[in-house]
Amino acid sequence: MTKLYEGKSKICYATDNENELNIFFKNEITAFNKLKKATIESKGVLTAKISNIIFKYLEKNNINTHLLKVIDDQNVLVKKLKMFNIEIIIRNIAAGSITKRLGIKEATTFDKPIFELCYKNDDFGDPLINDDHCVVLGLTTLEELQKIKDITLKINNLLIDLFKKINIKVVDFKIELGLDSENNICLGDEISPDTCRFWDENNRKLDKDCFREDLDDVTSIYSIILNKLEGIKL
Ligand code: ADP
Ligand code: TMP
Ligand code: ASP
């Protein structure tokens, strides 16, 4: 297969259909804009399987996603999207960069979800931007941004409902959206413990913070999430 792009945690390959991609989930894990790196046996399988369960659940609940077919444990066939060059973040509970940037105590629950936008550009460290940056700099149109907000808040509610079933709190997450061949906004990339913060009822961290903060073994922690998700009926 022709490699079109290799990122920090996935590789995109061309397929016979120009509107489709094969995405391979790698075992590499990085944090702090690649300052910290490791290769973790079975990480790609765990993030792929978790993301596939979540994408299928979202699709069932009327969210347009890129997922077409699970090829094997580490490969998926997806709709090739024209990605918006933004990372969309939702925060339900304070953790990570917002605690440092705004001095908010970790674990503070917000009255309503906080919607954030970042310019997706590793050279600048994915900086935070506002609605005007997004629209005036041409990353999305105003109409697209409004739809992006609606879709993201809908995804947040669905993720909260899903993870409530396994007693896990959705602290925050990052998603990436793009346009499909019919110009519909579609969820791309992945949703997994690599791209979300998940806490159990005792606020034990069950996500990439285990790696970022050297708290726990990534394979065991991600396996907890996968086993719990596999144990519920969707
Ligand atoms: P990064 O580029 O941030 O290092 P990854 O290693 O996850 O991230 O690489 C996957 C890349 O593929 C990301 O840049 C993401 O925007 C892009 N991508 C994800 N899903 C799709 C899709 N359906 N169509 C086109 N590009 C996609
Ligand atoms: P942050 O607190 O570091 O800004 O992260 C907010 C959320 O976004 C968290 O769930 C982790 C996720 N995230 C990514 O998926 N990729 C990234 O590059 C960053 C910085 C955060
Ligand atoms: N994904 C980013 C990196 O690889 C940042 C992070 O998740 O902490 O460096």
Side-chain angles (χ1 to χ4, degrees), residues 22-80:
N22 180 319
I23 297 188
F24 171 77
F25 285 71
K26 304 200 292 184
N27 285 336
E28 275 74 42
I29 187 164
T30 68
F32 313 118
N33 208 2
K34 291 181 271 188
L35 281 177
K36 189 166 176 173
K37 293 184 205 172
T39 301
I40 298 173
E41 188 66 29
S42 73
K43 206 272 305 192
V45 171
L46 289 165
T47 49
K49 284 188 169 180
I50 294 168
S51 191
N52 292 340
I53 292 173
I54 294 173
F55 272 54
K56 283 180 191 170
Y57 160 80
L58 292 175
E59 192 74 53
K60 234 181 174 175
N61 285 281
N62 303 316
I63 300 291
N64 192 18
T65 82
H66 70 171
L67 184 63
L68 293 171
K69 191 175 161 210
V70 174
I71 295 168
D72 63 28
D73 280 358
Q74 239 166 320
N75 286 282
V76 285
L77 184 72
V78 301
K79 289 183 215 166
K80 184 175 184 176

Side-chain angles (χ1 to χ4, degrees), residues 5-12 21 23 66 78-83 87 120 122 176 188-190:
Y5 173 82
E6 176 158 4
K8 296 186 289 296
S9 65
K10 295 188 291 299
I11 304 176
C12 300
L21 286 179
I23 297 188
H66 70 171
V78 301
K79 289 183 215 166
K80 184 175 184 176
L81 305 177
K82 201 163 147 260
M83 301 302 287
E87 296 198 341
K120 187 171 159 63
D122 282 345
E176 295 182 30
D189 207 53
E190 68 176 283

Side-chain angles (χ1 to χ4, degrees), residues 87 91 95-97 126 172-174 194-197 212:
E87 296 198 341
R91 299 180 188 274
S97 65
D126 297 337
D172 58 30
F173 62 86
K174 181 270 302 177
D194 263 10
T195 61
C196 305
R197 288 196 174 89
R212 293 191 188 96

Side-chain angles (χ1 to χ4, degrees), residues 161-168 201 225 228-229 231-232:
D161 284 351
L162 173 66
F163 280 84
K164 214 177 253 166
K165 292 182 207 282
I166 52 173
N167 289 319
I168 287 176
E201 55 271 63
I225 299 282
K228 282 181 189 277
L229 285 174
I232 53 171

